[in-house]
Amino acid sequence: MADPRARIQRLLSLVPYVLKHQGATLGELCEVFGVTRDQLMRDLNLIFVCGQPDYTPADLIEVDIDGDRVFIRMADYFARPLRFTNTELYGLHLACSALAKLSGKEASTALLSAMEKISEALREGRPPQDGIDGRIEIKPPSHERDVLSELSRACGERRVVDMEYYTYGRDEMSRRRVHPLSLEFGMGHWYLRAWDERRGESRVFRVDRIKELEVTAETFVPPEGEDLESSPPGPYGAAESGGIEVKLSFSAALADWAREQPIFTRCEEVKGRLVCVLRTENLSWLERELLSYGTEVKVISPPELKRRLKERALATLAVYGTDRPDTS
Amino acid sequence: MNKVERLIDLIAMLLQAKRPVTLEQIRKSIPGYDQSSMASFKRMFERDKSELREMGVPIEVEPVDALGEEVGYRIPKEEYYLPEIDFTPEEKVALLLVNRLSSGELTPFSREAGAALEKLSPDLGEGGGSCNTAPPRLRFAPMREREEVLNRLWQAAVECRTVRFVYRSLGKGKGKARERELDPYGLYLERGSWYVVGFCHLRGEIRSFRVSRIESEVDFMRPDGEGPDFARPADFRLEEHARILPWEFEEGEPYTAKVRFSPRMAWQVERDLGDVYRFEGMPDGGGVLEVTVRNEEAFLNWVLSYAEDAEVFSPAELREKVRRRLEKIVKSLGGG
């Protein structure tokens, strides 16, 4: 049985919702309250037997389901939901200010005015703003904020986007024509999920790696069977599954750090070092990563990675070959 | 009788009542209460009452008559009802987005934020596809931090209460888990991870801790106290700590390094760090960044991740260190 408290709270908002929106569909109610159809039916059946003493048919709340439309009457005392608790108000303020920081300009303007209205309506229920200010800091992602608004509009209007994109995995720039489907925030970055015309499949692009973009006048029809709501967001990160198995050995100094990295599918201790395995499609990004770890990490396999790492190290060394004068 | 049903009936009765309702009337009226003895009914009612109060239902106790000998219960409508709020379509969309954010548990008390939004739902109107201001397709991936840890740290920062927890630091040598006492000054979110900043009693200075590396529960040092246990220094500025980059962590005296980036990478570096450091673009599309360095090891890791797309100009000793590091790597990879 689910938490009775959550259920009571839901019922106390469900009734006022239907009172204000008579004839709301079952589907709409499921979506708004995040419940299955079965749970919703159980909720409505329970409301049906609640009411005022003496609980004769004339005292009970009236619930009518006509087709898939819901009507509630005789429940005027539940005309409004319950006020916020302090922690709810706090939580809402924190979530709103986080989103205002993370999202495009338009969304954050609307959010701030919405929050202002809420504070005003609650008057004395205003949270101690000085408690929040200066105690929480949310660093906005590094892309320009307008990009997010532009992409968000392109998703909504289903317009084809032309962009110049840096692919970390292959360490190269490319031009792409994509059909933007959704924007997702995860691991501290915004990602664009989009159908890539040339590759004929949907891909995830990190928004801050889009160098330039143009929302074209051309519209697209979203691919069949791309049900975003039912698939979880992600996964993000450079390494996904791939044909090449890479085995690395980390020194004790980096072992704990390596264990925290989600890209490794397997980690085991061997003679004081940590041997980690990952699968990837490209080695290019690994050359850069491995240069960064220096001699704290050794490549066990494949030999090709060893060879390429050495080439990359030599190429980088060549940059330092001729001593430049200090430009300051 | 179902407990949910009993409690809904109780709220309905007390909300509707024009005068305070006595215990006897409650017992007689609500079916769920009638079969027990008076003593067990009272216990049951007390439990229900405190549970409802915890949920924020304002149950008032008032004398039934002028003599004040008998008390009754009532829920004042004006204290129960959430005022109606008239949102613009843009505001509705924005709040529906917050709902998605709270389901990703990105911020402290996000579950409570979700509960608040549920209460706003009558005023937000149809959330389904039926309205033409359907929220843009924004989604939030779940966070790694434990909700109760984040909530507790936030509460401690607001109420100025000292906490303790077991923390596994990733430092030189083996990362060791140790118990820490902390006066938390604030929380910040960067690159998808939460950090708590505060005065660390073990180190005797202000430090940042990554919340996902806290291995235990977070407990108040004085669980029975109410705070404040400490005073946050007046000159503390969270934003100064929130932007600390790995190569600015602790260690020695800070100095400035000049790094040139190739046109291929300069635009990304400028986006990423242009608001923190001085960045000067070059005619070819490249640019020079002036980086503050306190931790050379972390700086070398970072700059080498750009391979040939980055070049340390100055200071000369640092440039030399990069070169030596590269030579060492080449050497470790053997001949051929």
Side-chain angles (χ1 to χ4, degrees), chain B residues 30-320:
Chain B
I30 297 179
Y33 289 129
D34 59 1
Q35 59 268 76
S36 37
S37 72
M38 190 62 188
S40 61
F41 155 66
K42 275 188 173 167
R43 277 199 302 275
M44 197 174 181
F45 176 74
E46 282 304 314
R47 270 201 307 273
D48 286 354
K49 187 173 61 151
S50 62
E51 187 157 350
L52 289 178
R53 279 185 175 158
E54 276 173 43
M55 286 167 50
V57 180
I59 301 179
E60 303 268 300
V61 187
E62 289 166 8
V64 177
D65 49 40
L67 295 171
E69 280 172 10
E70 201 181 0
V71 295
Y73 300 88
R74 196 171 71 91
I75 298 175
K77 285 184 171 159
E78 66 281 6
E79 277 171 48
Y80 176 97
Y81 289 153
L82 181 71
E84 200 162 346
I85 304 173
D86 190 16
F87 294 111
T88 66
E90 292 77 22
E91 288 164 350
K92 288 180 186 176
V93 171
L95 287 170
L96 290 169
L97 288 182
V98 177
N99 208 6
R100 301 195 178 197
L101 178 95
S102 68
S103 64
E105 295 179 2
L106 193 80
T107 46
F109 294 105
S110 48
R111 194 183 294 251
E112 284 75 6
L117 286 160
E118 192 173 270
K119 290 175 176 177
L120 284 177
S121 64
D123 299 340
L124 295 179
E126 318 98 273
S130 51
C131 73
N132 50 11
T133 50
R137 314 194 90 168
L138 292 194
R139 309 199 305 161
F140 297 87
M143 299 286 288
R144 275 183 296 180
E145 286 82 4
R146 283 176 294 154
E147 192 189 353
E148 66 275 14
V149 167
L150 207 54
N151 289 358
R152 177 57 64 91
L153 288 171
W154 170 250
Q155 189 191 350
V158 171
E159 295 172 6
C160 293
R161 301 183 63 177
T162 306
V163 290
R164 70 168 156 220
F165 50 79
V166 176
Y167 185 74
R168 187 172 43 83
S169 60
L170 296 184
K172 282 170 232 105
K174 284 210 143 190
K176 250 193 252 156
R178 295 186 68 163
E179 186 167 290
R180 306 278 188 142
E181 283 173 29
L182 182 77
D183 298 344
Y185 294 164
L187 289 164
Y188 68 91
L189 176 69
E190 189 175 326
R191 289 173 198 256
S193 288
W194 278 102
Y195 296 80
V196 57
V197 190
F199 182 80
C200 172
H201 292 226
L202 182 74
R203 300 283 177 216
E205 60 182 12
I206 294 176
R207 293 244 171 167
S208 290
F209 298 87
R210 188 151 150 181
V211 174
S212 64
R213 290 189 189 134
I214 293 176
E215 294 190 332
S216 65
E217 299 305 309
V218 174
D219 293 317
F220 291 132
M221 286 299 286
R222 270 175 285 283
D224 300 325
E226 281 184 354
D229 294 338
F230 60 88
R232 200 169 83 147
D235 61 350
F236 176 82
R237 296 280 170 277
L238 181 61
E239 61 272 20
E240 286 167 16
H241 295 265
R243 19 183 64 182
I244 285 188
L245 296 153
W247 52 90
E248 283 191 19
F249 260 138
E250 308 144 24
E251 305 285 311
E253 282 299 302
Y255 61 86
T256 302
K258 282 193 179 179
V259 188
R260 181 191 62 87
F261 289 90
S262 73
R264 232 165 68 89
M265 287 294 161
W267 59 278
Q268 284 191 47
V269 174
E270 186 184 5
R271 268 182 200 179
D272 209 12
L273 298 168
D275 61 334
V276 190
Y277 299 129
R278 209 177 111 83
F279 176 88
E280 203 172 324
M282 304 201 304
D284 68 347
V288 175
L289 190 72
E290 293 181 16
V291 187
T292 307
V293 182
R294 290 188 75 177
N295 183 329
E296 269 182 8
E297 194 55 31
F299 173 81
L300 292 177
N301 291 348
W302 172 69
V303 87
L304 280 169
S305 74
Y306 287 93
E308 68 274 23
D309 289 306
E311 177 187 2
V312 176
F313 273 176
S314 67
E317 305 81 56
L318 191 61
R319 183 179 166 90
E320 191 49 35

Side-chain angles (χ1 to χ4, degrees), chain A residues 150 160-168 170-179 192 194-200 203 205 209-216, chain B residues 264 267:
Chain A
E150 268 183 77
V160 177
V161 168
D162 253 329
M163 64 186 191
E164 197 179 349
Y165 185 72
Y166 170 74
T167 309
Y168 182 74
R170 284 194 309 279
D171 192 15
E172 66 184 25
M173 299 291 309
S174 57
R175 284 215 76 86
R176 313 262 183 155
R177 262 177 88 77
V178 296
H179 303 176
L192 171 70
W195 180 269
D196 187 314
E197 276 189 0
R198 197 159 51 94
R199 283 160 216 281
R203 295 239 164 173
F205 303 94
R209 292 189 179 139
I210 301 174
K211 190 176 182 188
E212 265 155 46
L213 72 87
E214 191 201 324
V215 180
T216 68
Chain B
R264 232 165 68 89
W267 59 278

Side-chain angles (χ1 to χ4, degrees), chain A residues 71-90:
Chain A
F71 299 86
I72 293 183
R73 288 179 199 91
M74 302 284 291
D76 290 350
Y77 40 90
F78 282 140
R80 294 295 301 160
L82 178 58
R83 276 177 177 261
F84 298 154
T85 63
N86 272 337
T87 39
E88 283 169 354
L89 190 56
Y90 247 147

Side-chain angles (χ1 to χ4, degrees), chain A residues 154-155 158-160 177-182 193-197 199-203 219-231, chain B residues 137:
Chain A
C155 286
R158 299 194 166 140
R159 296 222 266 158
V160 177
R177 262 177 88 77
V178 296
H179 303 176
L181 304 171
S182 74
R193 188 175 294 277
W195 180 269
D196 187 314
E197 276 189 0
R199 283 160 216 281
E201 60 180 354
S202 91
R203 295 239 164 173
T219 57
F220 64 89
V221 181
E224 288 284 326
E226 274 282 323
D227 186 5
L228 287 169
E229 298 304 324
S230 66
S231 64
Chain B
R137 314 194 90 168

Side-chain angles (χ1 to χ4, degrees), chain A residues 33 157 224 249 303 306:
Chain A
F33 292 94
E157 294 173 6
E224 288 284 326
S249 159
K306 244 179 162 166

Side-chain angles (χ1 to χ4, degrees), chain A residues 92-142:
Chain A
L92 186 60
H93 261 278
L94 288 175
C96 284
S97 40
L99 188 63
K101 270 279 175 68
L102 294 174
S103 60
K105 206 171 161 191
E106 274 163 60
S108 55
T109 310
L111 263 177
L112 295 179
S113 67
M115 251 353 265
E116 197 50 46
K117 279 186 187 173
I118 293 170
S119 295
E120 206 169 292
L122 298 179
R123 273 179 302 258
E124 78 277 30
R126 200 189 186 101
Q129 194 60 41
D130 54 328
I132 292 182
D133 285 348
R135 282 197 165 76
I136 199 147
E137 184 76 25
I138 288 160
K139 191 162 185 254
S142 58

